[in-house]
């Protein structure tokens, strides 16, 4: 565990008193958080279309006396909360939740199953939103303890409810609209169905992969299927290209550096008896190291050029939608770990040894501001696990209140120790 301590006796006492109060307040909110999560789960919206979800978030916050701001195109929400009397230079701590759903049919047999055909909250974003709402509502309920027992102490929070995480665009939209202005640190979490509710894992350093979409457009020469010598088959070239990429890319970088390349889409032709003019391949490149990523980019270009030359075709290669890795800041991660241990118990908190090969646009916020993301267990005891993006994915809803407490206590730790954020790691 990284070092994270409250140096002053008074600050430690403040943290412990507020933590105890927070436990009580969030416990009382737990039934409401479950209702919020189930309402969201029944009414999922895909990336870029989260208007009703954003309105629901705004109403929930307004009903508790907060003043949320609806973002451009009526999707996405931010809300600032000031508790107590923070110093003029007190850090502004952001808590981020993603709000979009997936184009997957929810096949669970529960009364809160999706009511939107073909769309489902099957990555846990409804839980993330509920947890952040719980943190916002819970924080409001211990304002008085700051004012009565800890004058001169306070907490500045910004809640970011971000759309379009699944298409890796929402974080960019929020940053462009000023959501990160004056933010000193940002924290978030993600549901993890591979560990039980009541547990959490933290990763120091690189947590997720660099992600690139890779598109290939192969130009051949169309012909009759019975006379391939009259043309130049781009599908044959596509098969060679895929085989060559799969064979050579893993051997292009240090085998100790995780990286994976996958073709996920092939489009070509209109009829079974016609050799088409064009074949289009779309794939995903994941890497965890800047150097490895650069090497793989060059190798992909080289392999495509070589295949094009040997087959007499023309191959256009395009790298799209680059997404940086989530690199967790050491100081912020230590605060998340400490808060998790305080809420869950030390034995319930572990360290993640290897980065995930998945992508997460939380990384966009980290380009200018230190932050960290936690993996929060949500598996139900005694039940077969349904993983993220499964049509049967669900959570143990006990994770909701625990997540709200962890995020708020992390923000409290950072606010009471602002010099650690400024110092960084």
């Amino acid at each position: 565990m990284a070092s994270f301590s409250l140096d002053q006796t008074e600050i430690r006492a403040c943290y412990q008193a507020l933590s105890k109060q927070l436990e009580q307040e969030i416990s009382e909110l737990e039934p409401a958080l479950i209702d919020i999560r189930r309402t969201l789960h029944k009414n999922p919206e895909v990336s870029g279309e989260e208007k009703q979800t954003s309105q629901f978030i705004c109403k929930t916050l307004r009903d508790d006396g907060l003043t949320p701001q609806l973002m451009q195109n009526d999707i996405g929400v931010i809300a600032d909360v000031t508790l107590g009397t923070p110093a003029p230079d007190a850090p502004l701590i952001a808590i981020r939740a993603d709000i979009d759903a997936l184009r997957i049919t929810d096949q669970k047999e529960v009364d809160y199953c999706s009511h939107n055909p073909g769309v489902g909250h099957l990555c846990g974003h409804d839980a993330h939103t509920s947890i952040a709402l719980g943190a916002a509502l819970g924080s409001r309920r211990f304002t008085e303890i700051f004012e009565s027992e800890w004058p001169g102490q306070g907490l500045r929070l910004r809640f970011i409810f971000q759309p379009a995480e699944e298409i890796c665009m929402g974080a960019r939209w929020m940053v462009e609209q000023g959501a990160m202005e004056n933010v000193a640190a940002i924290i978030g979490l993600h549901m993890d169905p591979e560990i039980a509710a009541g547990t959490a894992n933290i990763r120091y350093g690189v947590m997720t992969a660099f992600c690139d979409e890779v598109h290939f457009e192969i130009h051949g020469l169309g012909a009759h299927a019975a006379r391939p010598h009259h043309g130049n088959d781009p599908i044959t070239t596509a098969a060679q290209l895929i085989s060559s990429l799969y064979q050579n890319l893993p051997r292009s970088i240090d085998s100790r550096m995780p990286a994976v390349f996958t073709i996920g889409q092939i489009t070509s032709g209109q009829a079974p008896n016609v050799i088409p003019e064009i074949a289009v391949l779309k794939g995903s490149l994941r890497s965890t190291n800047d150097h490895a990523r650069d090497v793989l980019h060059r190798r992909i270009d080289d392999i495509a050029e070589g295949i094009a030359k040997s087959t007499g075709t023309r191959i256009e290669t395009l790298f799209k939608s680059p997404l940086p890795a989530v690199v967790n800041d050491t100081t912020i991660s230590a605060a998340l770990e400490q808060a998790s241990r305080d809420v869950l118990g030390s034995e319930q908190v572990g360290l993640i040894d290897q980065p995930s090969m998945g992508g997460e646009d939380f990384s966009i916020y980290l380009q200018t501001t230190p932050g960290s993301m936690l993996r929060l267990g949500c598996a139900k005891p005694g039940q077969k696990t349904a993983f993220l993006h499964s049509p049967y994915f669900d959570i143990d809803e006990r994770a909701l209140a625990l997540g709200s407490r962890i995020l708020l206590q992390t923000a409290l730790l950072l606010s009471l120790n602002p010099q650690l954020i400024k110092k960084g790691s």
Side-chain angles (χ1 to χ4, degrees), residues 207-329:
M207 183 177 183
T208 67
F210 295 89
C211 300
D212 295 277
E213 281 188 29
V214 188
H215 296 193
F216 303 94
E217 191 169 281
I218 304 170
H219 296 260
L221 180 63
H224 195 293
R227 302 175 181 85
H229 56 288
H230 288 169
N232 192 349
D233 191 346
I235 295 179
T236 301
T237 300
Q240 292 183 47
L241 178 60
I242 293 171
S243 178
S244 184
L245 289 167
Y246 280 14
Q247 289 179 39
N248 289 287
L249 289 181
R251 307 183 75 85
S252 300
I253 59 170
D254 189 324
S255 59
R256 295 168 296 181
M257 295 180 181
V260 63
F261 176 77
T262 301
I263 293 291
Q265 186 176 358
I266 303 175
T267 306
S268 187
Q270 300 293 327
N273 62 343
V274 177
I275 293 173
E277 290 275 323
I278 295 175
V280 176
L281 310 179
K282 295 182 180 180
S284 175
L285 174 67
R286 309 295 176 103
S287 54
T288 57
N289 176 280
D290 273 318
H291 174 70
R293 181 170 178 256
D294 290 342
V295 169
L296 290 168
H297 276 220
R298 291 196 299 270
R299 288 295 291 142
I300 288 170
D301 282 333
D302 290 345
I303 291 168
E305 183 179 346
I307 294 294
K309 185 175 181 179
S310 66
T311 59
T313 59
R314 178 167 59 88
I315 301 178
E316 298 175 2
T317 304
L318 179 65
F319 295 93
K320 295 188 63 178
S321 305
L323 183 67
V326 171
V327 182
N328 284 340
D329 177 82

Side-chain angles (χ1 to χ4, degrees), residues 390-405:
S390 161
Y392 302 99
F393 173 77
D394 204 356
I395 69 166
D396 185 330
E397 291 172 321
R398 290 178 298 171
L400 301 175
L402 296 174
S404 297
R405 288 174 58 196

